[in-house]
Amino acid sequence: MSEKNTTQGKAQKRRSRGRWRALLTPLMAIVTALILGAVVIVVTDTSVYDAFGEGFGAGLLRIVEVVVTAYGSFFAGAFGDPARMVRGLSTWITTGDGSDWVQSLYPLTETLRYATPYIFAGLAVALGFRGGLFNIGAEGQYFIAGLTTVFVGYSLTGVPWFIHVPLALLAGILGGAAWGAIPGYLKAKTGAHEVINTIMLNYISFRLAEYMLDVGGPMARGDGRPVSPVIQPSAQLTQFFPSNPNIRFNVGFFIALLAAVFVYWLLFKTTIGYEIRTVGQNPRAAKYAGMNVPRTVVLTMALSGGLAGLAASHDILGVIGFMPNSFSSGYGFDAIALALLGNSHPFGVVLSSLLFGALQAGARNMQAIARVPLDLTDILQGLIIIFIAAPAIIRALYRLRTPDEGEGAVMTRGWGQL
Amino acid sequence: MPPVLELKGITKRFPGVLANDHIDLTLEEGKVLALLGENGAGKSTLMNVLYGLYTPDEGEIFVRGQKVDIHGPGDAIALGIGMVHQHFMLVPVLTVTENVMLGMESIKNKLFLDREVAAKRIHEISEQYGLDVDPYAMVGDLPVGIQQRVEIIKLLYRQADILILDEPTAVLTPQEVHGLFQVIRSLLAKGKSIIFISHKLKEVLEISDSIVVLRGGRIAGSALPQESNERSLASLMVGREVILTVAKEKAQPKEPVLEVKNLRVMGEGAHVVVRDVSFDVRAGEIVGVAGVQGNGQTELVESLTGLRPAQGGAVRLLGKDVTHASPRVITEAGTSHVPEDRQRDGLVLSYPIADNLIMNTYYLPPIARGVVLQEAAIKERAERLVAEYDVRTPSIMTPVGSLSGGNQQKVIVARELSRPDQLVIASQPTRGLDVGSIEYIHSQLIRKRDEGAAVLVVSAELDEILSLADRIVVMFEGRIMDIVPIEKATREDIGLLMAGIHPDEHGADVVATKEAA
Amino acid sequence: MLKKLWVLLSLVLVTTMLVGCGGGGAGGKLKVGMVTDMGGVDDKSFNATSWKGVQRAIDELGIDGSYLESKQQTDYATNLAQYVNQEADLIITVGFLLADDTADFASRYPDTNFAIVDFGSLGDNVRGLTFSTDEAGFLAGYAAAAATKTGKVATFGGINIPTVAIFMVGYEYGVNYYNQQHGTNVEVLGWETAANDGVFVGNFESTDDGRRVAETFMNEGADVIMPVAGPVGLGTAQAVKERGNAWVIGVDTDWTVSAAEYKDVILTSVLKNMDVAVFDTIKAVQADDFAGFNGENYVGTLANDGVGIAPIASGAVPAGISDELEQIKADIIAGKINTGWAEYSASLE
């Protein structure tokens, strides 16, 4: 008996060590992506070639200068400048003027703000994956939720914020959920594959938004532009730094964290999550166990759509304040990568969203300071995903040991099953 | 003369597992060497080493006295070693000739497949070994037994003279097994040598010239068939004394629990595959459904458990009509179901044991309160059932997929038989399991019977039916051929019924019945 | 191996962190920042043209100019904040989608100058840069009517918004004026000012849509097509080039230059000289004479060369037409010809 216990203990220790090692691969993937990104920055910078014209030493120096400037501004844009934070904090303490301190936090808040819709959308796709469904429609659900949330946001007047904000959020959830439930229903009742249907519904949602918002459309502002009216102040998500309107970090981030905890609880601690996961892992076994597979599929897609909808609610109620017809953000597609990166685990999604948020915020600063095009983020994101999807490359590169088998990634089943 | 094949000290390690530990084997020309062992004993690993799919960590292989290195199936084939896998590697939409040619096509005019030449060769091989295969038949249309012969032809076409047959009888009727053994004998007569992998003691004793028993990656012993019996081989395999015949009292049947009247069920592709089936199962008895796979048993069970709609007829459970009830209603009405394909239907392989044990009670107290799962209750149940049903696992959180087949089945049996249900439907309950697990599961089913439950066992293993059932329902092409009380059942009669022949009819009617259907 | 890498990495990190926030002003030079919309600076359309104006100012006026691209709606404010923090003297935003954010920043930073392309004024420190493209479209319509052999000319837009539709309005009026002058009956497909409706592909990206619409128009007999949809029009040009026997009218820039591969099929281009407007604005700020301070905006017209048309392909129209176009241009400047703006505005109400 005691022998059995020690083996169990050892196994557990091995497992926790394995978990740390599991983090090493993504970390090295990020580092490798940054190194390759540096190569791209250097070879696309004409000043490097000019410097090499002056001499080899000058060229090398220029390479270092280019990379340091680029990534310096990148990290400063993603996490802030520690020196400036310290200075800002001391000014605040000594003079009571906290504006420098707040401003020094701006990069960090941008990272969190970019991460917020990523968390929602990533959770949406991850939940779908857990339920065996490939929701490529997060982008469309985001659009529809944008319409419903902005409508409640601007049309409802004279209600206090503690009613208006929840109502507007709910509108976003319901809009996204309804749009997600459609392909869920089609899958459950007719077996039509959700990949096809969510893609098709994306197009429909784009055109529907165009119709609603175009000049003369039912939801157009009426100033000759294809944009919605601005939401009422009572529908705005609480901003944390009202003294500095450039900082748009708002309560939405914490709603996103709550959503992640909720999804975790739902998936792993409730009978509903048990049904979702069972249908996702083995629909035949789910049917055998007496679960209502079609209902679970519809529910999963609706929940997924609702989460994607919250991304739109955050952007409208917390950041933009209205909805333009070109609302597209690409979140729906990045979300697939986020879910994969996070192994479809809610907390993994939060981590990968923070990473992507930092990439986005850092890239904007890198563009402004180092004049490196924003497209570099796409390259970095792409490289990170490739390295994480094909960890063998990273392991070969750094001679890491193969982790224990059996912790496969959660993905959907193949085509046409259920 | 050196032996045709000799393995010396073959050792193969996987991380944490010693799959083969210094295995020595000798195969003489024109002989059958049987490789006997439970699942996980190392038989497949050893054969994969021989076939070049794994490289051994230690040890040497000699073919006809020559030391060889085998780096892939190509090398193996070049050395005249061929393997018929348990799951056939055939393309159903191609003809026999095309299947045989795959991978070594004869080409004419540098461009076109030369089917005629190949077909002629296949015909010759077929004649020579009494295989009786039409080179132009579509493989998908052939019975399983003939498909197996196509696999053998594939090897002979590639001039293999060492044939490895991996569990070749698992999918055959008793009559087909008989045919296979004739083929094996004619192969031996032509100087071929055969490694016969099985866990069926009776067959091994019948066909082999020598027997090697593997257990836990080591050689547990060797034996000669004439000096052995089932009991001695079984204890070598399991490592302890095994009771082969199931000890059970005479049944005391009481009121009918399950009544099936004129049930009709459609299979995939809208064919009626269960035709007007009527029978009942009484409390305190085991009814066995015998039949070759694919004669409607699968669909019958799916229909009885609510997984497949009935097209006609009626099913009554404890007097209540459940013909069109959902799986959940049927379960809640008191049915346990051990499904035919445990990995496909009965388990979620990535889930830990604990989560698999709650699959049809997850929503009921004490497992759930409202929608919230009660982890303490789940854990408590898992600990109890794992101990009670002897599931061998490091922990209740181990994913079921990493357990052996026998332990996976024990998880299902624990889940299903631990409920106080009045009806137990067990479909192929011991398929692919080792002797120890089979013994255990049989005893559990009999325990259920003795506790007063009605038990329906569906199995393609005639031995299993004969040792478990109190009454035997024989199915052929969707119909019930006969219902035979165990006292009147003989292997031969049931075997004939399974092939669609009433024992009192003449044997020549086989073909007629087949064609009529 | 790993350890070394870590050391190297932390070193790089520390240095980059320290250096990262450097980058001061360019000392004395006028600092101009341009924020693009989601099309990006190389959209071959109004972002690119506006940037051309900044580049010209860099060359000719010696200013310090740069741009920041936006990938999504929320980036506009991020990029505006960047320039505000870098203490730019003039921030130019491109496109009406930036109007809300531009107005917000302009009100919060009253000492910074702003200019917005394709939108009216948003405050005392914002100069709106708008264009009477109906005037130039009118000339293009007249030329199209002169060039057609089938008696049918066509146009389509990206999305039905005023800055797009105004091209088509002028085009229709120009065709009608030609009919009136020459007693012809050339028909316009794809736009009707009175109905405020026409053919719109619904985006500014899909060259496939541009090709599809062009093929439809050509099947209906049109032999001159004016696509007002940015890069979508390149698909149109491709389709026309493959089919032959038809003309394309470029928009925003001179397509014989910016899309030279289709030179053979380009009849003319409606020029919306945003580069001129941007350059003028930068020049005004440098001279401390920013018209926007007084709420006065820049309106590009034929008169100030803010709009115009490119030279017409040789041999495409009868000899006298260029003289007629000169006369019409003079008449429009003099206010003697109606180019349709009033009717179009009325239809929006």
Side-chain angles (χ1 to χ4, degrees):
Chain A
M1 193 62 217
S2 68
E3 190 189 314
K4 198 180 168 191
N5 278 346
T6 44
T7 8
Q8 266 189 36
K10 265 186 202 160
Q12 236 149 37
K13 214 178 266 171
R14 206 180 312 128
R15 227 173 293 136
S16 71
R17 221 184 303 145
R19 209 161 281 166
W20 281 113
R21 184 162 309 131
L23 273 182
L24 190 60
T25 312
L27 209 66
M28 296 318 284
I30 295 165
V31 170
T32 314
L34 287 174
I35 292 170
L36 286 178
V39 173
V40 174
I41 293 172
V42 168
V43 300
T44 54
D45 190 326
T46 50
S47 74
V48 171
Y49 299 103
D50 296 345
F52 270 108
E54 289 164 28
F56 188 71
L60 282 186
L61 205 66
R62 182 65 198 149
I63 286 182
V64 173
E65 207 180 328
V66 164
V67 172
V68 168
T69 316
Y71 282 143
S73 54
F74 180 81
F75 285 110
F79 307 112
D81 174 4
R84 196 168 169 187
M85 287 185 196
V86 173
R87 250 184 287 126
L89 195 59
S90 65
T91 320
W92 187 27
I93 292 163
T94 50
T95 68
D97 175 11
S99 61
D100 276 358
W101 161 242
V102 169
Q103 182 60 34
S104 75
L105 293 178
Y106 174 76
L108 210 54
T109 64
E110 281 287 279
T111 291
L112 298 182
R113 180 182 69 72
Y114 276 111
T116 304
Y118 276 145
I119 295 174
F120 285 125
L123 287 174
V125 176
L127 186 78
F129 278 161
R130 286 282 173 184
L133 296 162
F134 206 154
N135 180 9
I136 306 193
E139 189 76 11
Q141 289 139 22
Y142 175 85
F143 260 78
I144 297 300
L147 289 173
T148 51
T149 212
V150 82
F151 181 76
V152 172
Y154 73 72
S155 63
L156 210 60
T157 51
V159 286
W161 68 269
F162 55 83
I163 293 175
H164 203 171
V165 168
L167 273 181
L169 288 174
L170 189 69
I173 294 173
L174 291 179
W179 207 246
I182 296 170
Y185 181 82
L186 292 174
K187 168 120 185 176
K189 288 294 160 190
T190 69
H193 203 283
E194 77 278 4
V195 165
I196 311 270
N197 286 322
T198 50
I199 291 175
M200 293 305 147
L201 281 165
N202 280 348
Y203 290 120
I204 296 174
S205 67
F206 301 158
R207 300 295 166 252
L208 187 63
E210 247 160 41
Y211 167 74
M212 299 302 280
L213 295 169
D214 268 359
V215 177
M219 283 172 67
R221 198 186 292 183
D223 64 354
R225 298 188 303 147
V227 296
S228 80
V230 176
I231 57 165
Q232 307 295 330
S234 56
Q236 280 169 4
L237 289 176
T238 309
Q239 301 285 329
F240 289 118
F241 301 97
S243 61
N244 186 342
N246 290 354
I247 297 185
R248 293 173 292 167
F249 178 54
N250 60 69
V251 74
F253 177 72
F254 294 99
I255 299 176
L257 292 186
L258 274 179
V261 173
F262 171 75
V263 170
Y264 174 79
W265 176 79
L266 183 81
L267 274 178
F268 299 108
K269 305 289 172 193
T270 70
T271 57
I272 300 162
Y274 184 78
E275 288 177 353
I276 291 174
R277 287 184 294 130
T278 305
V279 169
Q281 289 284 315
N282 186 345
R284 290 186 59 111
K287 194 176 165 193
Y288 158 82
M291 296 173 187
N292 188 335
V293 177
R295 193 185 66 195
T296 307
V297 166
V298 177
L299 179 74
T300 307
M301 282 303 290
L303 284 169
S304 178
L307 285 164
L310 278 172
S313 298
H314 165 265
D315 279 2
I316 286 172
L317 306 177
V319 185
I320 312 174
F322 65 95
M323 178 169 173
N325 76 341
S326 54
F327 193 41
S328 175
S329 56
Y331 293 147
F333 308 110
D334 286 344
I336 297 165
L338 289 167
L340 289 175
L341 219 54
N343 200 12
S344 295
H345 193 286
F347 302 147
V349 167
V350 170
L351 287 181
S352 51
S353 298
L354 289 172
L355 168 68
F356 272 37
L359 282 177
Q360 296 294 345
R364 264 115 192 128
N365 200 50
M366 184 159 65
Q367 175 182 235
I369 306 288
R371 305 276 163 235
V372 175
L374 278 188
D375 301 315
L376 190 77
T377 38
D378 296 341
I379 295 176
L380 288 180
Q381 282 180 10
L383 287 171
I384 291 172
I385 292 161
I386 288 172
F387 290 142
I388 285 176
I393 303 174
I394 288 297
R395 284 203 290 269
L397 213 55
Y398 300 103
R399 303 200 169 76
L400 299 176
R401 271 210 301 157
T402 317
D404 297 342
E405 306 271 325
E407 281 185 51
V410 178
M411 259 294 289
T412 50
R413 299 179 303 279
W415 288 68
Q417 291 187 28
L418 186 73
Chain B
M1 204 177 84
V4 64
L5 177 73
E6 208 174 357
L7 306 186
K8 284 187 184 167
I10 297 290
T11 300
K12 177 71 192 170
R13 295 182 196 89
F14 293 111
V17 186
L18 188 57
N20 286 154
D21 185 7
H22 294 92
I23 306 274
D24 299 322
L25 279 187
T26 306
L27 175 63
E28 302 287 347
E29 184 166 345
K31 303 286 183 194
V32 176
L33 169 68
L35 206 52
L36 193 62
E38 297 191 306
N39 291 317
K43 293 173 298 187
S44 305
T45 307
L46 187 63
M47 287 307 111
N48 284 332
V49 165
L50 183 53
Y51 205 50
L53 294 169
Y54 294 147
T55 318
D57 297 314
E58 286 169 39
E60 294 170 325
I61 302 172
F62 296 86
V63 176
R64 290 173 210 89
Q66 296 288 310
K67 185 175 180 304
V68 294
D69 284 322
I70 303 176
H71 295 294
D75 290 354
I77 290 164
L79 289 166
I81 301 170
M83 185 156 167
V84 175
H85 296 269
Q86 195 174 350
H87 303 282
F88 301 153
M89 312 274 181
L90 296 171
V91 185
V93 295
L94 296 183
T95 64
V96 171
T97 306
E98 286 161 342
N99 265 289
V100 172
M101 288 170 75
L102 268 183
M104 52 178 305
E105 296 83 356
S106 339
I107 303 294
K108 66 179 171 196
N109 301 335
K110 291 187 176 163
L111 196 60
F112 299 101
L113 286 178
D114 194 345
R115 288 197 184 76
E116 286 71 27
V117 169
K120 198 157 155 266
R121 251 309 273 117
I122 291 165
H123 188 70
E124 283 166 20
I125 294 171
S126 175
E127 292 277 285
Q128 202 179 350
Y129 296 95
L131 292 169
D132 193 22
V133 172
D134 172 9
Y136 294 106
M138 198 68 81
V139 162
D141 299 339
L142 298 174
V144 176
I146 305 294
Q147 290 191 10
Q148 191 171 52
R149 293 179 182 193
V150 176
E151 284 279 12
I152 293 172
I153 289 176
K154 256 166 78 175
L155 304 186
L156 298 172
Y157 189 83
R158 286 160 176 72
Q159 282 151 357
D161 44 24
I162 301 169
L163 279 65
I164 307 168
L165 308 180
D166 187 7
E167 302 273 0
T169 60
V171 287
L172 304 182
T173 63
Q175 278 74 15
E176 283 175 324
V177 170
H178 187 64
L180 172 68
F181 284 2
Q182 279 179 343
V183 169
I184 289 177
R185 287 193 186 100
S186 76
L187 288 167
L188 298 174
K190 297 276 181 342
K192 307 286 180 192
S193 318
I194 289 169
I195 298 180
F196 185 92
I197 303 172
S198 182
H199 62 260
K200 293 189 188 169
L201 309 170
K202 202 172 277 169
E203 291 167 2
V204 165
L205 285 168
E206 184 182 343
I207 194 70
S208 60
D209 296 299
S210 62
I211 302 167
V212 170
V213 182
L214 291 185
R215 186 173 75 233
R218 292 198 185 89
I219 291 187
S222 0
L224 294 174
Q226 54 272 27
E227 294 166 2
S228 316
N229 57 38
E230 289 184 50
R231 179 175 285 238
S232 68
L233 288 179
S235 44
L236 265 182
M237 255 167 84
V238 185
R240 60 182 165 85
E241 281 295 309
V242 180
I243 311 137
L244 281 175
T245 45
V246 188
K248 58 170 187 175
E249 307 287 315
K250 201 179 174 327
Q252 309 288 333
K254 298 187 185 69
E255 78 289 350
V257 172
L258 177 72
E259 295 162 276
V260 180
K261 284 263 164 346
N262 300 324
L263 184 67
R264 286 172 73 80
V265 183
M266 298 255 232
E268 307 296 332
H271 295 297
V272 177
V273 290
V274 177
R275 300 153 193 261
D276 301 318
V277 163
S278 303
F279 63 93
D280 62 2
V281 187
R282 292 162 179 273
E285 70 165 350
I286 297 180
V287 171
V289 177
V292 178
Q293 265 248 272
N295 278 283
Q297 309 98 307
T298 304
E299 291 81 0
L300 171 66
V301 169
E302 284 180 351
S303 180
L304 294 180
T305 52
L307 293 168
R308 185 179 285 275
Q311 302 297 321
V315 180
R316 293 169 75 78
L317 179 60
L318 293 164
K320 201 174 112 189
D321 181 68
V322 292
T323 317
H324 301 291
S326 71
R328 178 150 295 172
V329 168
I330 292 171
T331 307
E332 287 181 345
T335 306
S336 300
H337 177 200
V338 177
E340 175 182 317
D341 188 330
R342 58 179 162 267
Q343 301 202 339
R344 198 181 59 179
D345 290 325
L347 296 168
V348 177
L349 296 177
S350 57
Y351 279 4
I353 294 170
D355 284 2
N356 271 290
L357 284 172
I358 59 169
M359 262 181 67
N360 31 32
T361 45
Y362 67 92
Y363 59 97
L364 298 170
I367 300 301
R369 238 178 257 157
V371 298
V372 183
L373 293 169
Q374 300 301 309
E375 271 168 58
I378 295 170
K379 196 164 168 252
E380 184 275 323
R381 166 174 301 195
E383 299 281 10
R384 183 165 51 80
L385 291 181
V386 161
E388 210 170 293
Y389 287 82
D390 191 30
V391 181
R392 308 275 172 83
T393 170
S395 138
I396 57 163
M397 297 315 286
T398 304
V400 159
S402 63
L403 298 181
S404 70
N407 280 305
Q408 289 181 1
Q409 190 72 343
K410 280 183 187 169
V411 170
I412 294 182
V413 166
R415 180 180 70 210
E416 298 301 319
L417 300 195
S418 60
R419 295 203 306 268
D421 288 330
Q422 278 124 319
L423 174 65
V424 175
I425 299 178
S427 195
Q428 317 290 356
T430 60
R431 174 183 282 173
L433 300 192
D434 52 66
V435 178
S437 304
I438 292 173
E439 190 190 358
Y440 181 81
I441 285 166
H442 284 177
S443 70
Q444 289 299 322
L445 288 171
I446 289 167
R447 174 181 66 83
K448 271 313 249 198
R449 180 198 77 165
D450 293 344
E451 286 171 11
V455 180
L456 181 70
V457 174
V458 178
S459 178
E461 301 279 353
L462 189 46
D463 288 335
E464 174 161 60
I465 296 288
L466 287 170
S467 61
L468 271 182
D470 301 310
R471 284 193 294 149
I472 300 172
V473 172
V474 187
M475 281 188 78
F476 175 71
E477 297 193 334
R479 291 179 206 283
I480 291 183
M481 291 294 290
D482 204 352
I483 300 180
V484 188
I486 188 70
E487 302 83 19
K488 294 181 185 160
T490 64
R491 270 189 78 76
E492 293 64 36
D493 289 357
I494 303 290
L496 285 172
L497 284 169
M498 282 165 70
I501 310 153
H502 280 288
D504 43 345
E505 290 167 13
H506 199 269
D509 288 356
V510 184
V511 184
T513 322
K514 280 231 163 194
E515 278 172 4
Chain C
M1 170 70 204
L2 257 175
K3 218 171 231 169
K4 269 189 219 160
L5 207 88
W6 283 120
V7 174
L8 190 82
L9 215 92
S10 27
L11 261 173
V12 170
L13 260 174
V14 170
T15 33
T16 49
M17 282 292 208
L18 292 178
V19 180
C21 292
K29 284 186 181 176
L30 187 77
K31 197 172 165 65
V32 176
M34 184 183 107
V35 180
T36 77
D37 84 346
M38 287 179 240
V41 78
D42 49 3
D43 66 346
K44 291 194 173 179
S45 181
F46 64 164
N47 289 303
T49 315
S50 305
W51 176 238
K52 227 172 89 187
V54 180
Q55 279 176 312
R56 194 177 138 205
I58 294 171
D59 293 342
E60 296 181 13
L61 307 175
I63 59 144
D64 170 23
S66 66
Y67 65 83
L68 292 178
E69 289 188 299
S70 309
K71 292 238 157 172
Q72 44 175 270
Q73 184 81 24
T74 66
D75 286 346
Y76 301 150
T78 307
N79 288 335
L80 280 162
Q82 281 285 1
Y83 277 132
V84 168
N85 287 337
Q86 292 180 18
E87 296 176 349
D89 301 294
L90 169 64
I91 302 174
I92 300 162
T93 55
V94 184
F96 57 75
L97 282 175
L98 284 82
D100 293 72
D101 290 313
T102 308
D104 175 39
F105 273 79
S107 67
R108 289 198 280 124
Y109 297 91
D111 298 334
T112 306
N113 298 317
F114 293 86
I116 178 164
V117 175
D118 263 356
F119 204 78
S121 181
L122 295 160
D124 283 350
N125 55 338
V126 187
R127 188 188 222 194
L129 311 179
T130 56
F131 301 86
S132 298
T133 20
D134 51 328
E135 297 182 0
F138 189 94
L139 298 179
Y142 194 89
T148 180
K149 295 195 170 60
T150 59
K152 282 181 184 169
V153 298
T155 180
F156 68 90
I159 293 175
N160 189 358
I161 47 177
T163 46
V164 168
I166 195 69
F167 281 85
M168 302 156 82
V169 171
Y171 186 74
E172 188 193 9
Y173 274 73
V175 172
N176 292 342
Y177 189 70
Y178 181 89
N179 287 338
Q180 197 184 311
Q181 297 290 312
H182 291 261
T184 51
N185 198 16
V186 176
E187 198 183 330
V188 179
L189 306 180
W191 175 254
E192 203 180 326
T193 304
N196 182 15
D197 203 8
V199 175
F200 291 90
V201 293
N203 66 77
F204 292 103
E205 292 101 37
S206 166
T207 48
D208 268 357
D209 285 350
R211 156 185 292 277
R212 189 174 47 73
V213 173
E215 278 166 358
T216 311
F217 277 144
M218 286 190 283
N219 291 342
E220 286 181 31
D223 63 351
V224 183
I225 304 171
M226 181 175 77
V228 194
V232 176
L234 297 178
T236 307
Q238 179 65 32
V240 167
K241 187 169 179 175
E242 282 166 18
R243 185 84 68 101
N245 293 328
W247 293 105
V248 175
I249 295 176
V251 292
D252 292 346
T253 57
D254 185 350
W255 281 19
T256 59
V257 179
S258 63
E261 61 268 41
Y262 304 116
K263 217 159 74 180
D264 310 341
V265 295
I266 289 163
L267 178 65
T268 179
S269 297
V270 179
L271 305 177
K272 180 171 167 183
N273 294 326
M274 289 164 278
D275 48 340
V276 174
V278 167
F279 181 80
D280 277 2
T281 306
I282 297 172
K283 206 171 162 183
V285 173
Q286 198 180 39
D288 209 7
D289 177 28
F290 189 34
F293 283 126
N294 314 317
E296 229 176 85
N297 295 318
Y298 174 95
V299 180
T301 59
L302 287 176
N304 64 6
D305 276 337
V307 300
I309 61 167
I312 293 168
S314 60
V317 291
I321 294 296
S322 23
D323 293 338
E324 289 176 34
L325 283 171
E326 279 306 316
Q327 183 55 47
I328 292 167
K329 184 178 168 184
D331 289 347
I332 291 173
I333 292 171
K336 288 188 210 158
I337 293 177
N338 172 20
T339 53
W341 171 250
E343 286 82 352
Y344 175 67
S345 312
S347 78
L348 285 180
E349 297 307 314

